Amino acid sequence: QAQLIESGGGTVQTGGSLRLSCAASGRSFNMYTMGWFRQAPGKERELIGTRTWNGITNYIDSVKGRFAISRDNAKNTVYLQMNSLKPEDTAVYYCAARYRSDFEQLASRWPYWGQGTQVTVSS
């Protein structure tokens, strides 16, 4: 069973950058697909992107070219590098894990979640 802890959120001006980290405990981290989601006030939780257990990365169109997911299996950590941030990126950001999964967009199908970290982009 995976336990996830995010860090790195904060407030940044438009055009700025942040890097979020998600540290996982438990065994076989390298066998989990890791996802990053976000939820803005009054909106549903949406998938930003995933890095699968076998190295495939996918992103939603609105963050392509600005956000990048990487993982360090030796440190049991996945990262979300966010550049060129916009006010519409303001949300609580969550990491999630799913064992040996292909790309999965539905939040309800991810069994393991972190507590979330707030990202605020000021205009």
Side-chain angles (χ1 to χ4, degrees):
Q1 186 170 354
Q3 294 182 322
L4 308 173
I5 300 176
E6 300 102 337
S7 60
T11 299
V12 63
Q13 291 186 333
T14 298
S17 298
L18 282 174
R19 188 177 79 155
L20 307 183
S21 300
C22 173
S25 62
R27 297 186 296 178
S28 303
F29 172 78
N30 61 313
M31 299 305 293
Y32 283 81
T33 286
M34 302 301 295
W36 283 98
F37 290 76
R38 65 185 179 187
Q39 189 166 18
K43 294 188 177 180
E44 293 190 355
R45 193 168 298 188
E46 69 168 348
L47 177 69
I48 297 167
T50 62
R51 181 70 177 254
T52 65
W53 65 279
N54 56 351
I56 299 170
T57 307
N58 290 283
Y59 303 96
I60 59 173
D61 287 344
S62 62
V63 305
K64 282 181 180 177
R66 299 191 299 125
F67 290 12
I69 298 172
S70 60
R71 63 190 294 166
D72 185 338
N73 288 335
K75 295 182 178 180
N76 281 15
T77 301
V78 63
Y79 304 97
L80 177 65
Q81 177 66 44
M82 304 185 293
N83 300 323
S84 302
L85 283 162
K86 305 175 181 179
E88 51 263 43
D89 294 319
T90 295
V92 178
Y93 283 68
Y94 299 88
C95 67
R98 195 164 186 257
Y99 186 72
R100 294 193 69 176
S101 172
D102 295 326
F103 178 79
E104 176 54 66
Q105 191 168 5
L106 292 178
S108 60
R109 294 182 177 176
W110 291 73
Y112 305 111
W113 291 87
Q115 82 285 358
T117 186
Q118 177 71 46
V119 172
T120 302
V121 184
S122 61
S123 57

mmCIF file of all heavy atoms in Angstrom, residues 18-20 36 48-51 57-59 63-71 78-83:
data_model
loop_
_atom_site.group_PDB
_atom_site.id
_atom_site.type_symbol
_atom_site.label_atom_id
_atom_site.label_comp_id
_atom_site.label_asym_id
_atom_site.label_seq_id
_atom_site.Cartn_x
_atom_site.Cartn_y
_atom_site.Cartn_z
ATOM 1 N N LEU A 18 7.248 26.608 -10.310
ATOM 2 C CA LEU A 18 7.263 25.856 -9.064
ATOM 3 C C LEU A 18 7.572 24.403 -9.390
ATOM 4 O O LEU A 18 7.234 23.926 -10.481
ATOM 5 C CB LEU A 18 5.910 25.914 -8.342
ATOM 6 C CG LEU A 18 5.542 27.152 -7.556
ATOM 7 C CD1 LEU A 18 4.101 27.036 -7.060
ATOM 8 C CD2 LEU A 18 6.479 27.378 -6.393
ATOM 9 N N ARG A 19 8.179 23.726 -8.448
ATOM 10 C CA ARG A 19 8.353 22.278 -8.581
ATOM 11 C C ARG A 19 7.717 21.591 -7.380
ATOM 12 O O ARG A 19 8.093 21.871 -6.238
ATOM 13 C CB ARG A 19 9.816 21.876 -8.688
ATOM 14 C CG ARG A 19 9.968 20.385 -9.035
ATOM 15 C CD ARG A 19 11.395 19.951 -9.231
ATOM 16 N NE ARG A 19 12.094 19.726 -7.975
ATOM 17 C CZ ARG A 19 13.144 18.926 -7.841
ATOM 18 N NH1 ARG A 19 13.626 18.285 -8.906
ATOM 19 N NH2 ARG A 19 13.728 18.778 -6.673
ATOM 20 N N LEU A 20 6.765 20.724 -7.659
ATOM 21 C CA LEU A 20 6.127 19.933 -6.628
ATOM 22 C C LEU A 20 6.811 18.578 -6.530
ATOM 23 O O LEU A 20 7.250 18.025 -7.542
ATOM 24 C CB LEU A 20 4.644 19.736 -6.928
ATOM 25 C CG LEU A 20 3.826 20.996 -7.189
ATOM 26 C CD1 LEU A 20 2.349 20.630 -7.387
ATOM 27 C CD2 LEU A 20 3.983 22.010 -6.089
ATOM 28 N N TRP A 36 -0.505 13.214 -11.505
ATOM 29 C CA TRP A 36 -0.726 14.513 -10.861
ATOM 30 C C TRP A 36 -2.096 15.018 -11.284
ATOM 31 O O TRP A 36 -2.437 15.022 -12.473
ATOM 32 C CB TRP A 36 0.348 15.526 -11.251
ATOM 33 C CG TRP A 36 1.652 15.329 -10.559
ATOM 34 C CD1 TRP A 36 2.757 14.692 -11.045
ATOM 35 C CD2 TRP A 36 1.996 15.781 -9.247
ATOM 36 N NE1 TRP A 36 3.775 14.702 -10.111
ATOM 37 C CE2 TRP A 36 3.338 15.384 -8.996
ATOM 38 C CE3 TRP A 36 1.329 16.492 -8.241
ATOM 39 C CZ2 TRP A 36 3.998 15.666 -7.799
ATOM 40 C CZ3 TRP A 36 1.984 16.765 -7.062
ATOM 41 C CH2 TRP A 36 3.307 16.357 -6.842
ATOM 42 N N ILE A 48 -3.751 16.078 -14.634
ATOM 43 C CA ILE A 48 -2.791 16.924 -15.352
ATOM 44 C C ILE A 48 -1.936 16.058 -16.256
ATOM 45 O O ILE A 48 -1.710 16.371 -17.417
ATOM 46 C CB ILE A 48 -1.882 17.671 -14.371
ATOM 47 C CG1 ILE A 48 -2.677 18.606 -13.491
ATOM 48 C CG2 ILE A 48 -0.790 18.427 -15.120
ATOM 49 C CD1 ILE A 48 -1.887 19.133 -12.313
ATOM 50 N N GLY A 49 -1.445 14.961 -15.698
ATOM 51 C CA GLY A 49 -0.584 14.084 -16.460
ATOM 52 C C GLY A 49 -0.175 12.872 -15.642
ATOM 53 O O GLY A 49 -0.396 12.841 -14.433
ATOM 54 N N THR A 50 0.399 11.919 -16.338
ATOM 55 C CA THR A 50 0.853 10.702 -15.687
ATOM 56 C C THR A 50 2.250 10.321 -16.170
ATOM 57 O O THR A 50 2.649 10.662 -17.290
ATOM 58 C CB THR A 50 -0.086 9.517 -15.968
ATOM 59 O OG1 THR A 50 -0.098 9.258 -17.387
ATOM 60 C CG2 THR A 50 -1.495 9.795 -15.504
ATOM 61 N N ARG A 51 2.942 9.618 -15.310
ATOM 62 C CA ARG A 51 4.191 8.965 -15.692
ATOM 63 C C ARG A 51 4.001 7.496 -15.326
ATOM 64 O O ARG A 51 3.912 7.139 -14.157
ATOM 65 C CB ARG A 51 5.367 9.562 -14.939
ATOM 66 C CG ARG A 51 6.722 8.952 -15.293
ATOM 67 C CD ARG A 51 7.167 9.337 -16.679
ATOM 68 N NE ARG A 51 8.503 8.812 -16.969
ATOM 69 C CZ ARG A 51 9.588 9.557 -17.002
ATOM 70 N NH1 ARG A 51 9.516 10.841 -16.773
ATOM 71 N NH2 ARG A 51 10.752 9.009 -17.276
ATOM 72 N N THR A 57 4.885 9.102 -20.541
ATOM 73 C CA THR A 57 4.363 10.321 -19.940
ATOM 74 C C THR A 57 3.277 10.913 -20.827
ATOM 75 O O THR A 57 3.430 10.976 -22.048
ATOM 76 C CB THR A 57 5.488 11.347 -19.730
ATOM 77 O OG1 THR A 57 6.555 10.735 -19.003
ATOM 78 C CG2 THR A 57 4.996 12.539 -18.933
ATOM 79 N N ASN A 58 2.195 11.337 -20.220
ATOM 80 C CA ASN A 58 1.093 11.987 -20.922
ATOM 81 C C ASN A 58 0.664 13.228 -20.156
ATOM 82 O O ASN A 58 0.748 13.268 -18.929
ATOM 83 C CB ASN A 58 -0.112 11.037 -21.027
ATOM 84 C CG ASN A 58 0.143 9.890 -21.979
ATOM 85 O OD1 ASN A 58 0.101 10.049 -23.183
ATOM 86 N ND2 ASN A 58 0.402 8.723 -21.433
ATOM 87 N N TYR A 59 0.184 14.232 -20.896
ATOM 88 C CA TYR A 59 -0.273 15.486 -20.294
ATOM 89 C C TYR A 59 -1.577 15.925 -20.948
ATOM 90 O O TYR A 59 -1.840 15.614 -22.114
ATOM 91 C CB TYR A 59 0.760 16.603 -20.490
ATOM 92 C CG TYR A 59 2.129 16.295 -19.958
ATOM 93 C CD1 TYR A 59 3.117 15.803 -20.806
ATOM 94 C CD2 TYR A 59 2.439 16.503 -18.624
ATOM 95 C CE1 TYR A 59 4.371 15.518 -20.326
ATOM 96 C CE2 TYR A 59 3.705 16.225 -18.136
ATOM 97 C CZ TYR A 59 4.669 15.728 -18.988
ATOM 98 O OH TYR A 59 5.923 15.455 -18.513
ATOM 99 N N VAL A 63 -1.509 22.009 -20.365
ATOM 100 C CA VAL A 63 -0.215 22.125 -19.673
ATOM 101 C C VAL A 63 0.945 21.642 -20.521
ATOM 102 O O VAL A 63 2.108 21.758 -20.102
ATOM 103 C CB VAL A 63 -0.217 21.368 -18.322
ATOM 104 C CG1 VAL A 63 -1.372 21.842 -17.445
ATOM 105 C CG2 VAL A 63 -0.234 19.872 -18.521
ATOM 106 N N LYS A 64 0.665 21.111 -21.691
ATOM 107 C CA LYS A 64 1.745 20.626 -22.561
ATOM 108 C C LYS A 64 2.718 21.758 -22.884
ATOM 109 O O LYS A 64 2.310 22.862 -23.220
ATOM 110 C CB LYS A 64 1.159 20.050 -23.846
ATOM 111 C CG LYS A 64 0.582 18.667 -23.702
ATOM 112 C CD LYS A 64 0.047 18.150 -25.032
ATOM 113 C CE LYS A 64 -0.536 16.760 -24.876
ATOM 114 N NZ LYS A 64 -1.121 16.266 -26.154
ATOM 115 N N GLY A 65 3.982 21.458 -22.761
ATOM 116 C CA GLY A 65 5.014 22.452 -23.018
ATOM 117 C C GLY A 65 5.331 23.339 -21.829
ATOM 118 O O GLY A 65 6.318 24.079 -21.859
ATOM 119 N N ARG A 66 4.493 23.287 -20.786
ATOM 120 C CA ARG A 66 4.730 24.105 -19.593
ATOM 121 C C ARG A 66 5.057 23.234 -18.370
ATOM 122 O O ARG A 66 5.853 23.633 -17.531
ATOM 123 C CB ARG A 66 3.503 24.960 -19.276
ATOM 124 C CG ARG A 66 3.131 25.933 -20.369
ATOM 125 C CD ARG A 66 2.064 26.931 -19.869
ATOM 126 N NE ARG A 66 0.826 26.278 -19.474
ATOM 127 C CZ ARG A 66 0.261 26.423 -18.270
ATOM 128 N NH1 ARG A 66 0.835 27.152 -17.337
ATOM 129 N NH2 ARG A 66 -0.888 25.810 -17.987
ATOM 130 N N PHE A 67 4.409 22.086 -18.277
ATOM 131 C CA PHE A 67 4.580 21.208 -17.116
ATOM 132 C C PHE A 67 5.346 19.955 -17.538
ATOM 133 O O PHE A 67 5.209 19.493 -18.687
ATOM 134 C CB PHE A 67 3.226 20.776 -16.555
ATOM 135 C CG PHE A 67 2.437 21.851 -15.874
ATOM 136 C CD1 PHE A 67 2.783 23.191 -15.959
ATOM 137 C CD2 PHE A 67 1.317 21.509 -15.113
ATOM 138 C CE1 PHE A 67 2.043 24.182 -15.327
ATOM 139 C CE2 PHE A 67 0.574 22.477 -14.467
ATOM 140 C CZ PHE A 67 0.927 23.811 -14.585
ATOM 141 N N ALA A 68 6.094 19.408 -16.600
ATOM 142 C CA ALA A 68 6.826 18.165 -16.882
ATOM 143 C C ALA A 68 6.840 17.285 -15.638
ATOM 144 O O ALA A 68 7.108 17.774 -14.531
ATOM 145 C CB ALA A 68 8.253 18.465 -17.327
ATOM 146 N N ILE A 69 6.542 16.009 -15.849
ATOM 147 C CA ILE A 69 6.557 15.023 -14.766
ATOM 148 C C ILE A 69 7.811 14.177 -14.911
ATOM 149 O O ILE A 69 8.135 13.694 -15.997
ATOM 150 C CB ILE A 69 5.320 14.115 -14.831
ATOM 151 C CG1 ILE A 69 4.045 14.941 -14.644
ATOM 152 C CG2 ILE A 69 5.396 13.032 -13.756
ATOM 153 C CD1 ILE A 69 2.767 14.158 -14.885
ATOM 154 N N SER A 70 8.494 14.002 -13.796
ATOM 155 C CA SER A 70 9.647 13.116 -13.767
ATOM 156 C C SER A 70 9.583 12.289 -12.494
ATOM 157 O O SER A 70 8.825 12.604 -11.571
ATOM 158 C CB SER A 70 10.956 13.912 -13.838
ATOM 159 O OG SER A 70 11.064 14.803 -12.747
ATOM 160 N N ARG A 71 10.360 11.240 -12.467
ATOM 161 C CA ARG A 71 10.365 10.414 -11.267
ATOM 162 C C ARG A 71 11.778 9.911 -11.011
ATOM 163 O O ARG A 71 12.567 9.711 -11.940
ATOM 164 C CB ARG A 71 9.362 9.266 -11.390
ATOM 165 C CG ARG A 71 9.627 8.283 -12.491
ATOM 166 C CD ARG A 71 8.431 7.326 -12.660
ATOM 167 N NE ARG A 71 8.235 6.461 -11.500
ATOM 168 C CZ ARG A 71 7.130 5.748 -11.291
ATOM 169 N NH1 ARG A 71 6.117 5.807 -12.162
ATOM 170 N NH2 ARG A 71 7.022 4.981 -10.225
ATOM 171 N N VAL A 78 8.199 11.400 -7.147
ATOM 172 C CA VAL A 78 7.802 11.907 -8.459
ATOM 173 C C VAL A 78 7.681 13.425 -8.353
ATOM 174 O O VAL A 78 7.340 13.965 -7.297
ATOM 175 C CB VAL A 78 6.471 11.264 -8.925
ATOM 176 C CG1 VAL A 78 5.320 11.610 -7.998
ATOM 177 C CG2 VAL A 78 6.160 11.644 -10.365
ATOM 178 N N TYR A 79 8.005 14.092 -9.428
ATOM 179 C CA TYR A 79 8.058 15.550 -9.449
ATOM 180 C C TYR A 79 7.125 16.112 -10.519
ATOM 181 O O TYR A 79 6.854 15.461 -11.536
ATOM 182 C CB TYR A 79 9.483 16.036 -9.751
ATOM 183 C CG TYR A 79 10.518 15.507 -8.802
ATOM 184 C CD1 TYR A 79 11.276 14.388 -9.128
ATOM 185 C CD2 TYR A 79 10.740 16.125 -7.578
ATOM 186 C CE1 TYR A 79 12.236 13.892 -8.264
ATOM 187 C CE2 TYR A 79 11.703 15.639 -6.705
ATOM 188 C CZ TYR A 79 12.439 14.526 -7.049
ATOM 189 O OH TYR A 79 13.389 14.044 -6.184
ATOM 190 N N LEU A 80 6.639 17.312 -10.264
ATOM 191 C CA LEU A 80 5.879 18.061 -11.255
ATOM 192 C C LEU A 80 6.533 19.432 -11.370
ATOM 193 O O LEU A 80 6.423 20.260 -10.465
ATOM 194 C CB LEU A 80 4.413 18.195 -10.852
ATOM 195 C CG LEU A 80 3.555 19.025 -11.801
ATOM 196 C CD1 LEU A 80 3.455 18.347 -13.173
ATOM 197 C CD2 LEU A 80 2.155 19.249 -11.234
ATOM 198 N N GLN A 81 7.256 19.647 -12.454
ATOM 199 C CA GLN A 81 7.864 20.938 -12.730
ATOM 200 C C GLN A 81 6.857 21.777 -13.505
ATOM 201 O O GLN A 81 6.383 21.353 -14.564
ATOM 202 C CB GLN A 81 9.142 20.764 -13.557
ATOM 203 C CG GLN A 81 9.809 22.069 -13.948
ATOM 204 C CD GLN A 81 10.357 22.827 -12.747
ATOM 205 O OE1 GLN A 81 10.986 22.238 -11.864
ATOM 206 N NE2 GLN A 81 10.128 24.132 -12.715
ATOM 207 N N MET A 82 6.527 22.929 -12.966
ATOM 208 C CA MET A 82 5.533 23.799 -13.582
ATOM 209 C C MET A 82 6.181 25.122 -13.953
ATOM 210 O O MET A 82 6.700 25.833 -13.081
ATOM 211 C CB MET A 82 4.369 24.036 -12.615
ATOM 212 C CG MET A 82 3.719 22.754 -12.127
ATOM 213 S SD MET A 82 2.261 23.041 -11.117
ATOM 214 C CE MET A 82 3.009 23.797 -9.672
ATOM 215 N N ASN A 83 6.174 25.441 -15.227
ATOM 216 C CA ASN A 83 6.749 26.688 -15.735
ATOM 217 C C ASN A 83 5.661 27.531 -16.396
ATOM 218 O O ASN A 83 4.568 27.043 -16.701
ATOM 219 C CB ASN A 83 7.843 26.374 -16.745
ATOM 220 C CG ASN A 83 8.979 25.558 -16.159
ATOM 221 O OD1 ASN A 83 9.367 25.746 -15.012
ATOM 222 N ND2 ASN A 83 9.511 24.638 -16.957
#
